[in-house]
Structures are given as structure tokens and as C-alpha cells.
Amino acid sequence: MLEEELDSQELLYEGKGKKLYRGSQEEEVIAYFKDDLTAFNAEKKGQEKGKGILNCQISSILFELLETHGIQTHFIRKLGDNCMVCKRVNIIPIEVVVRNVATGSLTKRLGIKEGTILPQALVEFYYKDDALSDPIINDEHAILLGCVSHTRDLEFLRLQARKVNQVLVGFFNKRDLRLIDFKLEFGKDKADKIILADEISPDSCRFWDKTSNEKLDKDRFRQDLGGVKLAYEEVLKRITTIK
Ligand code: TMP
Ligand code: ASP
């Protein structure tokens, strides 16, 4: 679907990777996946033609997979190549990061050696606030900031994040990809139920090839490694190739 075709719809929100438009039903939104790439809190900007389509396809498949494992998500259906019809939610301003292997900000912050396999998946919360560069927070900060009202909601986020990790690690392992880490966002639906939202794609995950450890995600853009689109295409190819 072309961006112009959505112009008649009301733009509700524009983020770094997606635009959200009003859907045809009150409880629906249309997420349009952009070709824009940003890193380091948008200090670094780029574009990769066709990336939006790839992320939309990858995300749709992964949301459907998670639904079959009993994890509720905002995904309703795909619309064209680069749009997704989603349930309308109020996003909880917490980025839930799950890590299986140390890299990225974890190695920088705590000095854990790059590539160290963590004894168990580590779940971290970051406050979703660009002006503050998404700082890491603990449960008390999350309550203090009003991200959620109850500690039990934070426990639910952690539980869901671990379930997602368990499903995705197995799924990608069969496709010769190591799921190194990823970021999830959740929202509250009209019944106040917390469901998985946003996207799950090479923009929000790190994937390393099982044999070569080649990076097949947005680190190719962050670290100027080149071949960004090829890497995303490879991820989609492996996801759709049944083993
Ligand atoms: P980090 O190592 O930079 O903290 O990133 C951890 C994971 O979260 C990695 O898979 C990339 C993802 N991520 C996002 O999706 N958005 C962000 O803004 C950041 C900082 C990380
Ligand atoms: N998503 C963040 C940005 O767009 C950071 C990142 O993914 O590296 O700047």
C-alpha cells in the first residue's frame, strides 16, 4: 500500500519506524512500516528502500506465531505489503528488552564480554522517552513515573517477555539464527488488558547467523557494515523456509 493511499486516513502518530493511521473501525489502527532507519536515538539517520515491506512481513509472521502459542498481540491482519491492521492500544511507555547473549548497551554498561551467553535470559525495562534517551529503569522507577499502576503489571510484562523469548529462540534456532536480544512494547486494549504491540523485526531484534555469527539486523546500519536490506531479506527467507 502506498503512503499516498493512506493520506485520506487521519494520521494518529508518527514514530521513527512507523506511522499510525486511524482504521476503518473505531478499535483499529493501521500501522504503515517506513523505510527510514534511525540509530542512537535518531542521531544517525538513513533510508533503505523496501525495508518497510520486509519488517511488515517479518512482524506479521512473528505475531501470528506468538498468537498460536497463546500470547495475545495487537495484530489483526496484514494490509497490502507494508501495512498492518492492529488493535488500538495505549502504549505502556516501557521498552522491554530481553537478552540471551551480551552485546550492545549491556557490554558497554556492565563490561560483560561481547558474545557471552547469559546463564538465563535477562529482562530489562527502559523508559520510552526520546528526550531522555530511553534510560534504563527499575520497577520502582516504573511505578513512580506512572508507566503502570501496579507491580503485578510489571511482573506480567516480564512473564510475557520470557514466553516470547522461549517461542522465538526455538523458532529461529531451527532456521539457523541465534536470537541475541530484542525489544518489545506492550499496550493496554479497551478492556485494559495488556497485549503485545509495536513490531518484532530486524529493527528491534539482533540476529546472528548460527555458524558464522554474521549480524543480520539493524547493527549493520548502526555499525556501517553495509548490506542492510540483504540481511533483512535473509531473515525473511529463513523465516519462510520451513525446515
Ligand atoms: P541495546 O543493546 O542497544 O540496549 O539494544 C537491545 C535490543 O533492543 C536490541 O535488539 C535492539 C533493541 N532496541 C530497539 O529496538 N530500540 C531501541 O531504541 C534500542 C536502544 C534498542
Ligand atoms: N531505535 C533507536 C533510534 O531510532 C535506537 C536504536 O535502535 O539503535 O534511534
Side-chain angles (χ1 to χ4, degrees):
M1 181 174 247
L2 296 172
E3 214 173 338
E4 301 82 70
E5 292 176 50
L6 286 166
D7 277 351
S8 58
Q9 305 291 116
E10 184 193 347
L11 179 67
L12 300 172
Y13 172 82
E14 177 159 8
K16 287 179 285 211
K18 291 183 294 301
K19 286 183 179 180
L20 287 192
Y21 293 89
R22 188 180 290 282
S24 54
Q25 309 289 319
E26 179 56 27
E27 299 311 326
E28 293 180 0
V29 292
I30 299 170
Y32 169 83
F33 284 69
K34 303 199 288 188
D35 286 342
D36 298 350
L37 278 158
T38 64
F40 315 118
N41 205 17
E43 269 174 41
K44 179 170 174 156
K45 290 191 176 118
Q47 268 228 333
E48 192 70 49
K49 205 169 163 10
K51 185 213 63 155
I53 291 179
L54 290 163
N55 276 359
C56 185
Q57 280 181 273
I58 294 168
S59 268
S60 301
I61 294 167
L62 296 179
F63 280 136
E64 277 180 340
L65 171 78
L66 292 170
E67 290 275 356
T68 67
H69 284 82
I71 296 158
Q72 278 186 275
T73 80
H74 69 158
F75 179 78
I76 298 175
R77 64 180 179 276
K78 254 184 97 226
L79 180 67
D81 286 338
N82 49 4
C83 288
M84 207 185 249
V85 182
C86 302
K87 287 178 202 149
R88 194 170 184 153
V89 293
N90 283 319
I91 288 288
I92 296 169
I94 297 178
E95 300 200 341
V96 182
V97 168
V98 182
R99 301 178 188 270
N100 297 304
V101 176
T103 188
S105 69
L106 182 69
T107 55
K108 288 201 191 80
R109 197 171 51 248
L110 299 179
I112 303 171
K113 197 168 163 281
E114 165 90 10
T116 305
I117 296 171
L118 303 177
Q120 62 168 53
L122 175 67
V123 182
E124 299 173 330
F125 293 151
Y126 293 81
Y127 183 38
K128 188 172 153 63
D129 186 322
D130 283 342
L132 298 173
S133 304
D134 301 344
I136 192 164
I137 54 171
N138 67 19
D139 286 25
E140 292 185 41
H141 294 124
I143 299 287
L144 180 74
L145 291 164
C147 301
V148 292
S149 316
H150 304 284
T151 310
R152 66 168 181 269
D153 288 342
L154 299 171
E155 278 153 14
F156 183 73
L157 293 182
R158 261 192 290 267
L159 186 74
Q160 291 302 96
R162 287 191 189 283
K163 277 192 199 166
V164 170
N165 188 46
Q166 209 177 18
V167 174
L168 294 187
V169 164
F171 177 82
F172 284 111
N173 184 43
K174 280 193 214 140
R175 287 151 179 89
D176 294 336
L177 285 171
R178 298 176 71 196
L179 179 62
I180 302 301
D181 56 27
F182 57 95
K183 182 259 310 182
L184 300 175
E185 293 185 27
F186 294 83
K188 285 197 170 181
D189 68 10
K190 64 173 182 199
D192 240 19
K193 170 124 193 57
I194 297 176
I195 60 175
L196 185 60
D198 193 46
E199 68 180 272
I200 309 178
S201 73
D203 269 9
S204 62
C205 304
R206 288 192 174 101
F207 302 110
W208 293 358
D209 177 79
K210 206 153 112 182
T211 315
S212 66
N213 278 331
E214 188 190 1
K215 294 177 181 183
L216 294 168
D217 55 65
K218 197 164 88 169
D219 271 352
R220 301 206 71 84
F221 170 72
R222 293 190 188 96
Q223 300 170 12
D224 294 318
L225 300 174
V228 176
K229 193 173 168 197
L230 277 178
Y232 286 43
E233 281 169 347
E234 180 63 25
V235 171
L236 178 62
K237 192 174 114 196
R238 294 201 198 182
I239 284 177
T240 47
T241 305
I242 310 298
K243 281 197 133 189

